[in-house]
Amino acid sequence: MMVRALALMGALICLALPLRAEVAIQEVTSPGGIKAWLVENHDIPFTALNIRFKGGTSLDAAGKRGAVNLMTALIEEGAGDLDSQAFAAARDGMAAEFGFSSDSDGVSISARFLTDTSAQATDLLHLALTKPRFDSDAIERVRGQVLQNIASSAKDPGTIASDLLSHAAFGDHPYGSSGDGTTASVQALTRDDLLAAYRGALARDRIYVAAAGDISAADLGAMLDKLLGDLPATGAAQPADVVLTAKGDVITQSFPGPQSTISFYQGGITFEDPDYFAATILNEILGGNGFSSRLMDQVREKRGLTYGIDTSLAAYDHATILAGSVATANDKAAEAMQVIRDVWADVAKNGVTQKEIDDTKTYLTGSYPLRFDGNARIASILVGMQMLGLPVTYPATRNAKVEAVTLGDVNRVAASLLTPDELTFVVVGDAVGVAAGN
Amino acid sequence: MSKKSWIKRGSFVAVALGLTLGQALADQVSSFGLENGMQVVVIEDHRAPVAVHMVWYKIGAADESPGHSGIAHFLEHLMFQGTKDVAPEQFSKIVAAQGGSDNAFTSPDYTAYFQRVASDRLDLVMRLESDRMHNLNLSQKDVDTERNVILDERTQRTDSDPGALLGEQMAAAQYMNHPYAIPVIGWRHEIEELTRQDALDFYQANYAPNNAILIVAGDVTPQQVLDLAKKHYGPIPPSDKIHDRIRPTEPPQLAERRMVLADARVAQPYVVRNYLAGERNPSDQKEAAALTMLAQLLGGNRATSVLPRALEFDQKVATYTQASYDGVSLDQTTFTLAVVPADGVSLDQVEKAMDAVIDQFLKTGVDAEEFARIKAQVKAEQIYGADNTQGLAHRYGMALSSGLTVQDVQAWPDLLQAVTADEVMIAAKKVLDRRQAVTGWLQTEGAAQ
């Protein structure tokens, strides 16, 4: 049976054309000097616009944890002469859609607007970005929602584990705590705190913009000047880089229920590192999603210890991390942790196989062009590429970078990057036979 | 202006279905049939070299025989256990090796399988999907292993989630006779007893081209899809076991039902109420259109709809409100209201406040400006929706496997646009009937209410 299955695969691989993401990106500079990337497509009469302000919740001032998160949620709760409901009515009347969100590295605005109301939509979004009201009743209403989210997170084992991991890895750096803030810190935030967070986070010295859809380069340039031209030139200082702490210890937190949620991590690798693509392939083989990974094979398929296990390589603006997670029955937690440690040590010492690399390359190069379908997806991807400092030619060259990685590269990176002694675990649950400490 | 044609082998009739609104949209839909009864829908979008391939079987959890709850979903899992040509668990790996992704899902009314791949790999996924339509292999060992996976899935997604448990209990109370009372994943004690033979019987009775809909969306032409469909699905013979789905219907519902689920794991209590509601039917979707607009008026907008305006902004007794209705269903569905109380407000208080708002709405009627804004958004959704081909394919698949036609899907935006304020109020007065409703409280165990 296997032989026939493989023959089927082989036949189809031969059919495959060389895969390259074909997306025509224009670099646009507005008359006022704001840079943006654009993919023009006039098939559908709307434009997706993505704006990202670098910094995000990591810009929270000392003692004001949660300020940027609450501020971001309030941008659409009234601006200029419009209170919250009047703003929503104006937006919906022209069927525009605005989304505001924040994470540890940025405040993001994603907008969709119809071609025939793009001027009015630009005016309204400009009002929100430059004249948010922060009305006291809106602050209290949204604060109540944020506090309920924090209370819910406190009963969610996945969030508890991720918060403990962040703190263990990054300590007092903003990456070391939840950007939502704590109940106490959010309760203490004042309107002045939110105004300060707003002035610190939304400034022209940290803007990345991408658009995709029914708009020309000239029209986009004019729109960006109108939209962003009168924001303050500078904002709050960006946080310092942080080196993650990973001592190879075990951090435990009791939680009721039949399962333990286990997170684990060690140091990662920067996107600029010449070995980044080798490390990406290594992570896919170790615990990626595309294929049956080493960890999936050992923890689930061979031993049935879990429903799923995965790892990911994250390069944040100020730190890197290689982290994973798994949920398992309380009495299997100790065994699952030992298997993870063993896989880590084995791959560091013995490396991976050529077949694993070939399979992973096929997956990575095949899936990449599939990302670029739809204006909304393209705008979002293009902003991310700019924040990484990539050129517009990147989509056409990225698969060649993946293909260039050799078995020697991956095994060299496995030996240097994977540090079994520093692999640190967070266990949330009532795991049997798992003790905190080293 | 739209037409579905069943075609003879060797000939090709594809009728592009125009849109009344937004003729220039990328929503290029063709529909035709294979000689063995398989329906085919093609949605063209040539902006990116991607194709989504879906097969929807017109069989779901509500079609299971008594005592066998969960068999439709169990079989969905077992469909990945291989055929004589594809080894167990290889299906997804073959798709992933081409950079693609795949998945499957089961509802009360349908079971669907889909892959998202580069458009030049369509032949591969059609070969794989057509193979498992009639060549499934099931070993006893694989069935036993997968049963444990399903039980684990139930533990994680239902038994560990008090909100999901309440939803399950409420559905069981809502439907006194119709099988929508039974959860898709199945009751645990019945899942434990499902056998390999049960799965094979269900497979052989229901998986056939004349009980399936093929949907291909993306960078493809109808002719390409037809050629490949004839090559892969065409040779599979139709089954003579496929019947119209006639299910037990609800008797008159005369008494309101209420329930409380208290659980220590609840962080956020809430009140939810489901009213029995009519569904979209072929060539008969007007009442469902009115109910869709009613849900938008009551809760579609977080700032300006009736419920958030009254409960979150004016009275400040709630932090979240919801009104929702999805008319895509083979049989009678539900219209849902839900409210999360603000800190210090009891479930009893917030439910009374919600009912007072509903009573007031039934007296004052539709806000004309809000209604006009919702219609602008409905119109825009046709444009925004065309950006997401996979979403469009999903919309057609759900509708066609829930008894609707391509024409019904095409007519829907215009029907929404044509709903009048009077029709909304007539539908509201009919649906918001507590005698046909189930009200659930989710609360933290031990907390006073």
Side-chain angles (χ1 to χ4, degrees):
Chain A
M1 270 191 320
M2 271 308 289
V3 173
R4 294 190 63 170
L6 290 171
L8 179 76
M9 288 170 67
L12 281 138
I13 287 165
C14 294
L15 287 178
L17 299 167
L19 287 163
R20 219 152 51 88
E22 289 171 27
V23 52
I25 304 170
Q26 303 174 58
E27 287 181 278
V28 176
T29 303
S30 75
I34 296 167
K35 290 184 171 14
W37 286 10
L38 167 65
V39 171
E40 244 183 287
N41 182 298
H42 302 283
D43 288 350
I44 310 176
F46 86 96
T47 297
L49 179 69
N50 233 272
I51 304 167
R52 193 160 157 95
F53 294 91
K54 186 182 165 98
T57 60
S58 295
L59 299 177
D60 278 340
K64 308 295 182 191
R65 198 62 172 142
V68 168
N69 176 62
L70 181 55
M71 177 277 291
T72 306
L74 283 160
I75 293 177
E76 61 178 337
E77 293 284 344
D81 293 337
L82 305 174
D83 68 9
S84 178
Q85 290 171 338
F87 184 87
R91 181 196 59 213
D92 294 350
M94 61 182 89
E97 298 181 356
F98 304 147
F100 300 86
S101 64
S102 60
D103 60 32
S104 57
D105 283 337
V107 170
S108 293
I109 294 125
S110 58
R112 296 200 292 186
F113 47 80
L114 303 176
T115 302
D116 61 11
T117 51
S118 65
Q120 299 96 304
T122 304
D123 286 343
L124 190 64
L125 185 55
H126 173 249
L127 198 66
L129 292 175
T130 55
K131 294 193 171 61
R133 284 160 59 121
F134 300 114
D135 288 334
S136 62
D137 64 335
I139 294 173
E140 293 319 315
R141 187 164 37 77
V142 178
R143 190 201 308 269
Q145 293 164 356
V146 171
L147 288 170
Q148 285 190 339
N149 287 344
I150 293 171
S152 294
S153 295
K155 289 203 173 188
D156 174 47
T159 311
I160 295 169
S162 120
D163 287 351
L164 286 169
L165 184 153
S166 299
H167 188 66
F170 301 115
D172 293 333
H173 189 278
Y175 287 173
S177 61
S178 165
D180 290 354
T182 64
T183 300
S185 75
V186 171
Q187 278 172 339
L189 291 172
T190 65
R191 184 172 185 274
D192 284 346
D193 294 333
L194 297 170
L195 281 168
Y198 162 70
R199 285 189 292 263
L202 271 62
R204 286 206 316 274
D205 61 353
R206 59 200 62 207
I207 297 180
Y208 297 85
V209 186
D214 188 21
I215 192 166
S216 69
D219 288 348
L220 177 62
M223 171 182 286
L224 293 178
D225 282 348
K226 202 157 105 181
L227 198 56
L228 305 167
D230 56 353
L231 280 173
T234 60
Q238 299 288 346
D241 288 353
V242 57
V243 177
L244 127 165
T245 305
K247 296 181 195 156
D249 46 359
V250 177
I251 297 149
T252 59
Q253 168 76 57
S254 177
F255 190 83
Q259 283 192 322
S260 292
T261 301
I262 303 173
S263 296
F264 48 96
Y265 74 95
Q266 63 142 74
I269 186 167
T270 64
F271 187 77
E272 294 76 23
D273 194 301
D275 280 330
Y276 180 81
F277 284 99
T280 298
I281 290 174
L282 173 66
N283 172 64
E284 286 292 328
I285 294 169
L286 196 58
N289 294 315
F291 269 95
S292 182
S293 63
R294 289 283 181 104
L295 285 170
M296 200 67 161
D297 185 51
Q298 292 293 325
V299 181
R300 176 176 143 155
E301 285 164 30
K302 289 236 175 21
R303 295 179 179 79
L305 301 177
T306 186
Y307 196 49
I309 178 166
D310 60 27
T311 60
S312 61
L313 197 56
Y316 297 104
D317 284 350
H318 304 288
T320 65
I321 187 168
L322 171 57
S325 65
V326 60
T328 183
N330 286 327
D331 62 352
K332 306 281 190 192
E335 185 184 355
M337 289 164 67
Q338 189 55 50
V339 175
I340 295 165
R341 286 192 179 99
D342 291 347
V343 167
W344 226 258
D346 176 58
V347 174
K349 182 163 175 250
N350 301 316
V352 301
T353 67
Q354 186 65 49
K355 178 166 189 323
E356 285 173 314
I357 289 188
D358 293 343
D359 287 349
T360 304
K361 281 183 182 177
T362 318
Y363 169 70
L364 289 174
T365 57
S367 60
Y368 185 67
L370 305 191
R371 296 182 194 178
F372 295 89
D373 72 324
N375 295 337
R377 282 164 65 105
I378 290 172
S380 166
I381 292 169
L382 262 46
V383 162
M385 286 171 52
Q386 291 174 76
M387 294 192 80
L388 288 169
L390 297 170
V392 290
T393 53
Y394 180 78
T397 60
R398 180 266 194 189
N399 276 355
K401 296 179 202 296
V402 173
E403 293 291 1
V405 174
T406 66
L407 176 63
D409 293 334
V410 174
N411 286 344
R412 175 171 48 74
V413 171
S416 62
L417 180 66
L418 298 181
T419 48
D421 294 346
E422 294 172 7
L423 193 60
T424 302
F425 288 84
V426 173
V427 184
V428 176
D430 287 321
V432 179
V434 175
N438 267 300
Chain B
M1 60 183 296
S2 57
K3 188 159 161 284
K4 178 180 67 183
S5 306
W6 293 95
I7 60 172
K8 299 282 185 202
R9 186 183 295 272
S11 65
F12 174 69
V13 182
V15 182
L17 298 158
L19 290 166
T20 315
L21 293 165
Q23 284 283 349
L25 298 188
D27 181 3
Q28 296 285 333
V29 179
S30 313
S31 173
F32 45 88
L34 302 184
E35 197 175 63
N36 60 13
M38 188 167 188
Q39 189 179 354
V40 185
V41 176
V42 181
I43 304 169
E44 289 181 76
D45 178 355
H46 300 287
R47 295 177 301 159
V50 181
V52 175
H53 170 260
M54 300 174 157
V55 169
W56 297 70
Y57 292 97
K58 291 185 267 186
I59 188 75
D63 303 305
E64 295 162 342
S65 53
H68 291 76
S69 65
I71 191 67
H73 171 253
F74 190 22
L75 176 60
E76 176 228 296
H77 276 239
L78 293 172
M79 286 289 282
F80 292 85
Q81 290 304 333
T83 65
K84 66 181 194 298
D85 286 343
V86 178
E89 305 287 353
Q90 286 300 306
F91 191 103
S92 300
K93 290 176 190 175
I94 295 169
V95 175
Q98 299 293 319
S101 56
D102 76 310
N103 216 330
F105 43 90
T106 308
S107 93
D109 293 330
Y110 51 76
T111 312
Y113 302 82
F114 74 92
Q115 302 85 32
R116 180 183 151 84
V117 291
S119 43
D120 61 1
R121 317 295 159 90
L122 187 57
D123 184 69
L124 164 71
V125 292
M126 260 200 210
R127 186 187 310 189
L128 290 167
E129 194 63 79
S130 60
D131 178 35
R132 68 176 170 180
M133 182 184 282
H134 63 135
N135 288 325
L136 185 65
N137 268 355
L138 288 183
S139 75
Q140 187 62 50
K141 177 175 162 289
D142 289 338
V143 169
D144 292 341
T145 305
E146 205 59 32
R147 191 187 304 101
N148 287 329
V149 171
I150 308 273
L151 288 165
D152 268 355
E153 184 180 349
R154 193 187 148 94
T155 304
Q156 287 194 17
R157 298 172 78 167
T158 307
D159 300 328
S160 298
D161 178 354
L165 287 170
L166 176 62
E168 204 172 70
Q169 298 287 312
M170 288 177 69
Q174 182 79 62
Y175 293 97
M176 304 189 297
N177 198 40
H178 188 283
Y180 287 166
I182 298 165
V184 170
I185 194 156
W187 299 117
R188 176 174 292 277
H189 66 286
E190 292 186 353
I191 302 173
E192 286 167 346
E193 302 300 324
L194 294 174
T195 67
R196 174 175 176 275
Q197 195 56 49
D198 292 334
L200 286 173
D201 290 348
F202 197 80
Y203 175 67
Q204 280 150 10
N206 298 299
Y207 280 53
N210 51 328
N211 205 32
I213 301 150
L214 169 66
I215 298 186
V216 181
D219 189 17
V220 294
T221 65
Q223 186 66 53
Q224 283 174 326
V225 174
L226 176 69
D227 291 345
L228 288 172
K230 285 200 310 197
K231 174 178 157 193
H232 294 298
Y233 294 104
I236 305 173
S239 164
D240 56 9
K241 297 179 184 165
I242 307 301
H243 308 290
D244 283 348
R245 291 189 278 180
I246 310 291
R247 297 163 174 165
T249 55
E250 284 299 297
Q253 298 203 350
L254 306 175
E256 181 183 7
R257 283 133 282 163
R258 303 184 62 84
M259 54 183 62
V260 176
L261 192 138
D263 190 300
R265 297 168 293 185
V266 173
Q268 188 51 67
Y270 58 76
V271 179
V272 58
R273 180 176 304 144
N274 294 330
Y275 298 89
L276 196 66
E279 77 283 11
R280 288 167 62 180
N281 287 312
S283 306
D284 173 19
Q285 307 186 88
K286 283 188 75 170
E287 185 178 300
L291 288 172
T292 302
M293 298 302 271
L294 173 66
Q296 286 297 311
L297 283 161
L298 292 178
N301 183 301
R302 294 279 333 252
T304 58
S305 296
V306 169
L307 286 170
R309 185 182 278 272
L311 300 178
E312 298 179 52
F313 283 77
D314 296 345
Q315 301 174 37
K316 299 180 172 59
V317 294
T319 56
Y320 177 79
T321 54
Q322 180 191 319
S324 58
Y325 167 78
D326 179 0
V328 178
S329 180
L330 192 59
D331 299 312
Q332 273 184 302
T333 183
T334 54
F335 187 100
T336 298
L337 303 177
V339 186
V340 176
D343 205 25
V345 177
S346 71
L347 291 174
D348 185 49
Q349 285 171 310
V350 87
E351 186 188 347
K352 286 196 167 87
M354 176 183 88
D355 281 321
V357 172
I358 295 294
D359 287 346
Q360 187 60 41
F361 171 77
L362 291 174
K363 287 182 197 129
T364 52
V366 171
D367 176 333
E369 288 179 11
E370 179 81 2
F371 200 45
R373 287 192 294 269
I374 291 168
K375 288 196 171 178
Q377 290 176 288
V378 166
K379 189 174 172 185
E381 180 46 38
Q382 283 196 279
I383 293 169
Y384 294 141
D387 196 37
N388 181 355
T389 318
Q390 186 163 342
L392 274 179
H394 202 91
R395 202 178 303 168
Y396 276 92
M398 284 192 296
L400 300 187
S401 56
S402 302
L404 297 170
T405 65
V406 171
Q407 295 94 313
D408 293 320
V409 178
Q410 299 282 331
W412 181 245
D414 289 343
L415 286 172
L416 290 177
Q417 215 49 246
V419 172
T420 65
D422 284 347
E423 287 167 347
V424 170
M425 296 315 294
I426 291 166
K429 282 168 183 152
K430 182 175 166 190
V431 79
L432 298 171
D433 176 352
R434 295 271 291 266
R435 292 172 304 172
Q436 301 194 50
V438 179
T439 305
W441 286 12
L442 184 70
Q443 64 185 41
T444 309
E445 193 161 44
Q449 279 296 338

